[in-house]
Each structure stands twice: as structure tokens, then as C-alpha cells.
Amino acid sequence: MAHIVVLGAGTGGMPAAYELRETLDPQHRITVINAVDYFQFVPSNPWVAVGWRERTSITFPIRPYLERKGIAFIAQAVQTIDASANRLYLADGTPVDYDYLVITTGPALAFDEVPGSGPQGHTQSICSIDHAESAYRAYQQLLENPGPVIIGAMPGASCFGPAYEFAFILNNDLKKRKLRHKVPITFVTSEPYIGHLGLAGVGDSKTVLESALRQHDIRWITNARTESVEPGVMHVAEVDDLGAVRKQHALPFHYSMMLPAFRGVAAVAAVEGLCNPRGFVLIDEFQRSRTYRNIFSAGVCIAIPPIEPTPVATGAPKTGYMIETMVAAIVRNIAADLAGEPATARGSWNAICLADMGNTGAAFVALPQIPPRNVNWFRQGKWVHLAKVAFERYFMHKMKAGTSEPIFEKYVLKSLGIEKLEQS
Ligand code: FAD
């Protein structure tokens, strides 16, 4: 009998636990450990930050749903991992032994790399539900005292879609309130051009997003190295293609939401030989640690190289569906390992993303993630907004019901030629 511990109950960890339970013999124990006792649907945070969603509609308590499926749950942060002893320690010091460890701890937010940034400083974030709620409170102040807004992504960021999404949503909300004319918006991004998205662009993303920003009177600064933030002023160096500073900006703002660079969480980053220098888990093509053969990892916490070098550092995004393909491979590989067979499943790592823009939206599909691609399109339309709302409901239901691959994946994605596992 094996004990499989899933560390982190987010977009990667929850499906991993359900799929493991569905796939493995019931004699094997599965335990999920998560720093907090609730699940949060991260992609809806931009809506929370403008008051279009409440905390209760995008979070739920984890324990009853996992326990109903025979999965144990511990609501505590893991403090240390002793990988050579197959043991980890919870925040209260309790040890937990495992035979297999699935690490899905998501990102640590590197606000400290830009002094004055982040919710402890002078900019807002939508990376967690707590941050999104605090961003909403700050938004109330902006509504009372309208003025310039800065939205974007800082050096080293890898998650750009939500920054665009938030700029368009905020624009839409301000228009509804008839306040947009009092709020100049600037999009400040480390990307070399609008629509790069950490993916060297997807289809027509540059043209479509530039056009959408222009249509909505949102100015932009690309190749932007945000250097520091003080109350009401952001200091940004705009660099050229060779990385030399071509213009230094001191941008005034009443409200700002800047996505940070990510790194790995401390407990994982500290494990000898497990991670790269930024604390992301080094894995092989089968999602398996290169050092510890009983550790697998998926999601934002794994190390993947940037798609291409850029004048200001950018990373490659790890999007929800891509994460699910990693999870599917891990489940197959642990099942194979338990059966004494080689672990050879590979996630397809296909990047699919729906970005809401208020009443319309933009969707992209990049298959594979690294160009040249077999499928490479970026489209805009009202259907994306509707699809995003439907996807939120579907994913929340899926995470409560514990079904691992129902209708959406089976029919919609297959019709797009998208498979979870790489066909070799
Ligand atoms: P998370 O979902 O962040 O889960 C990590 C979990 O690990 C958390 O529950 C955390 O509490 C737990 N944890 C961390 N450290 C510890 C510890 N030491 N001990 C115990 N537990 C720990 N992708 C899309 O495809 N579509 C989108 O629309 C989209 N929107 C996004 C919007 C935002 C604002 C952001 C930030 C990302 C978005 N993404 C989107 C990207 C990606 O899908 C999400 O970031 C996704 O939540 C990542 O899943 P994950 O499982 O890797 O990490």
C-alpha cells in the first residue's frame, strides 16, 4: 500500500487528487495538504477586483469534497521537505511520510524584487482572492477620487493574460460608471511588444491587442523595467531592443495593479537538488523530479525555460489547461510506477487561454507552446466572455464533484484537436 501526498490544492492539485483516486487501487492512500482550508478559482480574481464577483462565489471549503471521495485533507502549510527521508513537516511540526509526493504549490509572488510594489507597498495584485479583495477596496477609493491608473506586469513576469484582462475589465467598469473620462489608463509591461504574452506572440495577438488597447484609449509602454514604486509614482525604465535605457519614466497614479515575477515557494525551493535557482521544480519530460524519482510536479511551480530572450526578462506562462495535461501525465506515471512499469506519459502542454474583456474577450490556442506551432490562433469576440463565464461555473462544479474529465474536455477540446496526453 502506498501513500501519495499532493502538496497544494489549487488548479493543479485538486484535479491531481481526484484523478489519482479515480485511477489508483483503493488500497493506496491519498492525502492533500494545502496552506488554507479553501479552494479558490484564481482566473476569476480580476472580476472580484472590480466587484463583479464575491469571494463566496469563487471559493469553497476543500475538506468535505475531498473526504467524500476518500481523500484525506490537511489544512496547513508545509514548512520543510526532507526528500531523502520521504517525509515532510507541517507548520505545527507534525511529520507526514509519503511514498510519492506530487508538488503543485503554485507561485510565490516576488514583489520584493521591485521596491514599493505589491499589496504591502503601493500597487495592487489579483494573484489571490485576498489580494483581489484588497484591490477592490483600493478601487473604491479610485472611484471617489478618480485619476491615472497603471496596469501591467513587472520584470520577470510570466503571466500576462490576466494583466490585459484586468485593464479591459477596469476600462469597462469605469465606462459603465461614466467615470472613464477622468481615468487615463497606461499599460506598462515587460513584454517586448503588446501581445507577446511570454509566448513570442500567438497568431495575431500583437495586432488584435494593440487595436483593442487603442480602441479603448489605453496607452502602453513595452520593454518596461519597473524599478520602484513610491506612493502615487511608479519609476519605469523603458529599454531598447539591446536592453539600453531609452527613456526614464516617473508615472503618476491613483491606482495601480501590477503582476509580479513568480518564484517557487520557500519549502519547495529549499530542498537540496530539487529546484532551479528561482525555486522552480526541475522535472523531466514525464513530470518527474530529476533528483528524487518519487517526486512529481505540475503547474506554476515547475521550471520551464522562457520561450525566447527578451530585453526585459519575461517568462513563459503556465495556463490552466496546460497544467491539467501535466496532471494527467503524473497520474498515469504514478500508476505505472506502482505497477512496476515504466512511467512514460507526457502532458501535451498545450496553451489555451480565455481572457475576458468585460463584455467581449480574447482567446488563444498555441499548440505546441513553443513556435513553430501546429495551431496558432488568437481571436476576439463576445463568445469568449460567455465561454469564460461558462468555464468558471464548469470548473467550480468539476472541483466539487470530483470528476476528472467530463463533457468540456471530451467534446469541445477534442473537436479543436486538443489532447491531454502527448501521442507518441
Ligand atoms: P495554484 O492554483 O496557485 O495552487 C497552489 C496551491 O498550493 C495553493 O492553494 C497554495 O495555498 C498551496 N501552497 C503553496 N505553498 C504551500 C505550502 N508550503 N504548503 C501547503 N500548501 C501550499 N490560466 C488560465 O488558463 N486561464 C486563466 O484565465 C487564468 N487566469 C489567471 C489569473 C490570475 C490572476 C493568475 C495569477 C493566473 C491565471 N492563470 C490562468 C494561470 C494559472 O492557471 C493559475 O495561476 C493557476 O491557479 C495555477 O495553478 P497551480 O496549481 O500551479 O497553483
Side-chain angles (χ1 to χ4, degrees):
M1 185 190 97
H3 183 208
I4 299 108
V5 169
V6 178
L7 178 51
T11 307
M14 288 289 278
Y18 285 132
E19 281 188 50
L20 282 163
R21 186 67 294 162
E22 212 170 86
T23 308
L24 302 185
D25 192 291
Q27 63 164 327
H28 301 303
R29 274 196 305 137
I30 299 167
T31 303
V32 173
I33 305 177
N34 195 56
V36 294
D37 63 0
Y38 57 87
F39 173 83
Q40 55 177 301
F41 186 62
V42 173
S44 292
N45 284 341
W47 288 335
V48 173
V50 289
W52 294 0
R53 286 290 183 283
E54 302 250 321
R55 185 184 190 98
T56 47
S57 61
I58 65 153
T59 60
F60 62 83
I62 295 171
R63 184 179 302 283
Y65 297 99
L66 289 184
E67 286 186 349
R68 209 169 56 195
K69 290 279 175 179
I71 300 167
F73 177 62
I74 300 171
Q76 260 196 73
V78 162
Q79 205 75 46
T80 44
I81 303 169
D82 184 351
S84 39
N86 300 330
R87 178 172 296 157
L88 47 80
Y89 294 88
L90 305 175
D92 69 1
T94 309
V96 178
D97 290 324
Y98 60 81
D99 297 293
Y100 292 90
L101 179 63
V102 178
I103 300 178
T104 48
T105 40
L109 309 173
F111 290 115
D112 54 305
E113 291 173 0
V114 179
S117 72
Q120 307 294 331
H122 315 294
T123 62
Q124 303 300 319
S125 155
I126 48 170
C127 291
S128 70
I129 180 75
D130 292 341
H131 286 177
E133 285 189 320
S134 141
Y136 180 58
R137 288 192 291 274
Y139 183 49
Q140 301 304 300
Q141 290 167 14
L142 176 76
L143 296 177
E144 278 165 27
N145 178 21
V149 161
I150 304 173
I151 294 168
M154 296 194 280
S158 52
C159 185
F160 296 98
Y164 286 100
E165 192 170 38
F166 189 60
F168 289 117
I169 287 172
L170 198 86
N171 163 70
N172 190 284
D173 195 72
L174 287 165
K175 277 187 179 166
K176 280 191 202 154
R177 295 172 189 274
K178 308 237 179 314
L179 282 175
R180 180 64 175 87
H181 65 294
K182 294 186 178 174
V183 182
I185 302 179
T186 308
F187 192 78
V188 172
T189 177
S190 48
E191 297 159 282
Y193 51 85
I194 289 299
H196 180 278
L197 300 166
L199 288 166
V202 182
D204 241 354
S205 56
K206 180 174 190 290
T207 319
V208 174
L209 284 172
E210 279 186 356
S211 164
L213 290 174
R214 261 193 297 270
Q215 275 170 31
H216 294 290
D217 294 320
I218 301 174
R219 306 175 79 90
W220 65 80
I221 301 173
T222 52
N223 274 333
R225 197 171 64 223
T226 305
E227 295 185 321
S228 65
V229 190
E230 52 184 290
V233 184
M234 186 177 294
H235 298 280
V236 175
E238 183 182 350
V239 306
D240 65 18
D241 288 349
L242 299 174
V245 176
R246 52 185 289 248
K247 197 168 176 188
Q248 200 75 45
H249 300 265
L251 303 169
F253 67 89
H254 280 200
Y255 176 97
S256 172
M257 195 299 293
M258 295 292 285
L259 292 178
F262 293 162
R263 57 176 170 238
V265 305
V268 173
V271 180
E272 181 75 34
L274 183 67
C275 298
N276 74 5
R278 278 196 78 80
F280 291 118
V281 182
L282 292 162
I283 49 156
D284 64 15
E285 64 203 295
F286 311 116
Q287 306 292 140
R288 194 173 203 169
S289 160
R290 294 179 184 278
T291 314
Y292 304 98
R293 304 307 282 163
N294 60 342
I295 296 184
F296 292 80
S297 187
V300 173
C301 61
I302 65 159
I304 57 174
I307 299 271
E308 62 177 1
T310 47
V312 180
T314 58
K318 297 149 199 167
T319 47
Y321 186 70
M322 183 184 172
I323 295 169
E324 286 198 64
T325 78
M326 298 178 195
V327 164
I330 290 176
V331 173
R332 292 272 190 99
N333 287 336
I334 291 180
D337 210 63
L338 281 166
E341 291 162 11
T344 55
R346 283 180 288 150
S348 54
W349 284 36
N350 293 324
I352 306 170
C353 199
L354 305 175
D356 186 42
M357 293 159 116
N359 50 4
T360 175
F364 70 71
V365 182
L367 319 179
Q369 188 164 27
I370 297 169
R373 303 181 175 118
N374 295 319
V375 183
N376 191 36
W377 63 254
F378 190 97
R379 293 191 195 139
Q380 201 188 344
K382 200 173 176 57
W383 67 272
V384 184
H385 170 72
L386 299 172
K388 182 117 192 179
V389 174
F391 186 71
E392 177 195 58
R393 288 197 196 130
Y394 157 80
F395 200 87
M396 290 292 284
H397 167 75
K398 178 172 147 165
M399 287 305 97
K400 289 179 177 174
T403 44
S404 63
E405 193 177 41
I407 317 292
F408 190 78
E409 274 98 345
K410 233 176 205 147
Y411 299 106
V412 182
L413 297 182
K414 278 213 174 125
S415 71
L416 288 169
I418 296 165
E419 303 275 353
K420 263 194 188 169
L421 291 173
E422 186 73 21
Q423 312 292 321
S424 47

